[in-house]
Amino acid sequence: MDILIYGAGKYCENLLKIVNHYTSVNVVGIADSNIHGEKYGYTILDILDTQEKIFPEAVIVIAMANASNALEIARRLENKGYLKIYLYLNKRKTFINDFIEGECIPLNHLEDMILPSIELHTVDFCNLNCKGCAHFSPLFEKKIPDFNIRIRDLFLLKELFCRILMVSLLGGEPLLNPELHQYLIEARKYFPNEEIQIITNGILLLKVDDKLLKIISENRITVVISEYEPTHKIIAKIEERLQKFQIDYSVREMGIKERFNRPLSIVANSRYNKKCISEGCTAICDGKIARCPTLLYINKFNEKFGQTLPDYGILDLMDYKDGQTLLNKLKEKVPLCKYCIDNEIKWEVCGKTIKIEDFAALD
């Protein structure tokens, strides 16, 4: 099978490393509209800017992290006449031998109402409490949410969209919820063919019982590990246990997790450059939906630190009767965007006294 990779970034680099494990797969080229010249030993093509199809029989594999951007690229490629289009999932390990089935999800039926991705907290609190957390997890009390209320949001989205490409269960730290297995079973019931992920710091993966790991494996859930410093010390043992249960997984390696971005300034149009770290991370919680988790949980920040950062753009799911209207609303910029900044900090956890500076610049 000939594949043409679209996207010449880090995901492409990772794909080129793993594709050699599949003897039936041949990379015929790499395409990108923003990167030009030579890279990875290939001349980068711009297949969206040509009149005729390049490698017309090739399967297109989009290699990029943002599912929303990938979906838009897929629609443009389909308009060019490419029909076999897939999204690469960037796994470190899969237990399915077929490249397409194990490493990708199909981007087809693009005329249908599709939500690129959704994030759902199974708990709001965390066992690491990172400074700069865009979900403000260190600010939440250690409380297990009502399963029926949280899971209902997925049902409401199912009524609005034919597909959700990626469903992420996270937090906080999702493994802190003793009812996590119920989320996994119910999510797979709602979305039998979609990519479902648990996003975790991984520390508890050596402690959870075998029953949960069997449920993860049986329901084809991918475990995505954010490799912070404490995780890095035990990552080999974590991988060994996941492999024992034949669980697909990926690792956001410590090299990219050593630095965090403090997401906000408490003043609009701060002296810092603008930066959105949550573009495409649509989040739901207790009947609410927002274009990013920072917006969805901003009132927790306001409450803790006596601030009044704007919360306009947190929407009620029940107010929407069709997916397109909701998608259009979620694409709109919101007042909080004026407060989002590029402010890199070293990764570390909050102290006993949590300060506003842990999450926001003051200028």
Side-chain angles (χ1 to χ4, degrees), residues 22-147:
Y22 299 93
T23 56
S24 62
V25 176
N26 175 49
V27 178
V28 296
I30 299 174
D32 201 298
S33 296
N34 299 314
I35 299 174
H36 308 285
E38 299 279 337
K39 197 170 183 182
Y40 311 124
Y42 294 85
T43 298
I44 306 301
L45 309 168
D46 188 351
I47 59 177
L48 292 177
D49 195 36
T50 58
Q51 294 299 316
E52 59 187 36
K53 291 173 66 177
I54 302 173
F55 303 113
E57 300 304 316
V59 171
I60 307 293
V61 178
I62 299 177
M64 57 179 61
N66 190 307
S68 181
N69 291 344
L71 189 57
E72 291 304 312
I73 292 294
R75 289 191 170 114
R76 293 177 64 186
L77 288 169
E78 187 178 71
N79 289 336
K80 287 281 185 179
Y82 296 96
L83 300 179
K84 295 179 287 186
I85 309 169
Y86 295 85
L87 177 63
Y88 171 59
L89 295 173
N90 195 39
K91 296 178 183 179
R92 176 174 287 190
K93 180 70 174 178
T94 179
F95 290 88
I96 299 174
N97 293 326
D98 180 76
F99 170 75
I100 291 296
E101 186 180 353
E103 306 284 358
C104 307
I105 53 174
L107 297 178
N108 50 18
H109 302 293
L110 297 177
E111 71 281 0
D112 290 345
M113 189 54 55
I114 301 174
L115 182 65
S117 65
I118 198 67
E119 295 184 352
L120 170 67
H121 280 195
T122 65
V123 293
D124 302 315
F125 63 98
C126 188
N127 57 342
L128 270 188
N129 293 328
C130 304
K131 291 183 179 181
C133 176
H135 296 239
F136 305 116
S137 294
L139 307 183
F140 283 88
E141 58 274 14
K142 295 181 179 180
K143 179 181 177 182
I144 304 300
D146 187 305
F147 167 76

Side-chain angles (χ1 to χ4, degrees), residues 252-285:
R252 297 172 179 174
E253 296 176 346
M254 192 175 78
I256 63 171
K257 304 305 291 186
E258 288 178 307
R259 310 299 298 178
F260 249 49
N261 188 76
R262 191 159 42 179
L264 295 169
S265 169
I266 62 169
V267 297
N269 300 314
S270 162
R271 68 181 179 89
Y272 294 95
N273 293 329
K274 294 289 183 188
K275 183 175 183 177
C276 175
I277 64 170
S278 298
E279 187 68 39
C281 299
T282 307
I284 50 174
C285 182

Side-chain angles (χ1 to χ4, degrees), residues 136 138-140 298-307 352-356 359:
F136 305 116
L139 307 183
F140 283 88
I298 192 61
N299 285 321
K300 195 66 179 180
F301 173 88
N302 285 339
E303 175 189 326
K304 172 68 177 180
F305 300 114
Q307 299 296 311
K352 290 183 179 180
T353 302
I354 298 176
K355 301 176 293 185
I356 190 172
F359 304 96

Side-chain angles (χ1 to χ4, degrees), residues 5 14 43 118 134-135 141 145 164 166 193 198 205 208 224 226 257 288 299 315 328 341 363:
I5 301 172
N14 294 344
T43 298
I118 198 67
H135 296 239
E141 58 274 14
I164 300 178
M166 304 182 75
N193 302 310
I198 300 169
L205 283 171
V208 296
V224 180
S226 297
K257 304 305 291 186
K288 306 290 186 180
N299 285 321
L315 312 173
N328 293 341
I341 58 172
D363 54 356

Side-chain angles (χ1 to χ4, degrees), residues 144-201:
I144 304 300
D146 187 305
F147 167 76
N148 292 314
I149 292 176
R150 288 276 162 108
I151 204 68
R152 185 185 63 173
D153 292 346
L154 289 184
F155 173 77
L156 293 174
L157 289 176
K158 178 73 173 177
E159 295 295 295
L160 295 174
F161 297 97
C162 299
R163 291 184 65 188
I164 300 178
L165 296 183
M166 304 182 75
V167 178
S168 296
L169 304 175
L170 69 168
E173 171 48 56
L175 296 176
L176 289 169
N177 191 332
E179 300 175 328
L180 178 60
H181 63 285
Q182 295 186 53
Y183 286 87
L184 304 178
I185 293 168
E186 204 70 9
R188 180 52 74 199
K189 185 195 304 182
Y190 288 152
F191 305 105
N193 302 310
E194 311 296 17
E195 174 66 4
I196 301 176
Q197 303 177 337
I198 300 169
I199 300 180
T200 170
N201 59 46

Side-chain angles (χ1 to χ4, degrees), residues 244-351:
K244 175 184 175 182
F245 286 87
Q246 295 195 326
I247 294 171
D248 287 7
Y249 66 90
S250 62
V251 179
R252 297 172 179 174
E253 296 176 346
M254 192 175 78
I256 63 171
K257 304 305 291 186
E258 288 178 307
R259 310 299 298 178
F260 249 49
N261 188 76
R262 191 159 42 179
L264 295 169
S265 169
I266 62 169
V267 297
N269 300 314
S270 162
R271 68 181 179 89
Y272 294 95
N273 293 329
K274 294 289 183 188
K275 183 175 183 177
C276 175
I277 64 170
S278 298
E279 187 68 39
C281 299
T282 307
I284 50 174
C285 182
D286 298 346
K288 306 290 186 180
I289 186 168
R291 70 192 311 274
C292 74
T294 306
L295 173 60
L296 188 61
Y297 303 109
I298 192 61
N299 285 321
K300 195 66 179 180
F301 173 88
N302 285 339
E303 175 189 326
K304 172 68 177 180
F305 300 114
Q307 299 296 311
T308 56
L309 272 63
D311 63 358
Y312 176 82
I314 301 175
L315 312 173
D316 286 303
L317 271 172
M318 294 293 289
D319 289 344
Y320 292 86
K321 305 305 179 186
D322 70 277
Q324 189 59 60
T325 302
L326 178 57
L327 273 178
N328 293 341
K329 194 67 178 177
L330 290 170
K331 290 178 181 178
E332 294 178 3
K333 294 292 183 183
V334 295
L336 189 65
C337 294
K338 296 179 180 180
Y339 297 79
C340 295
I341 58 172
D342 184 359
N343 183 204
E344 188 177 273
I345 58 175
K346 180 183 178 182
W347 176 84
E348 56 185 353
V349 298
C350 296

Side-chain angles (χ1 to χ4, degrees), residues 223-237:
V223 174
V224 180
I225 302 166
S226 297
E227 191 186 12
Y228 303 109
E229 184 178 330
T231 315
H232 180 69
K233 296 175 182 178
I234 56 174
I235 191 64
K237 292 181 179 179

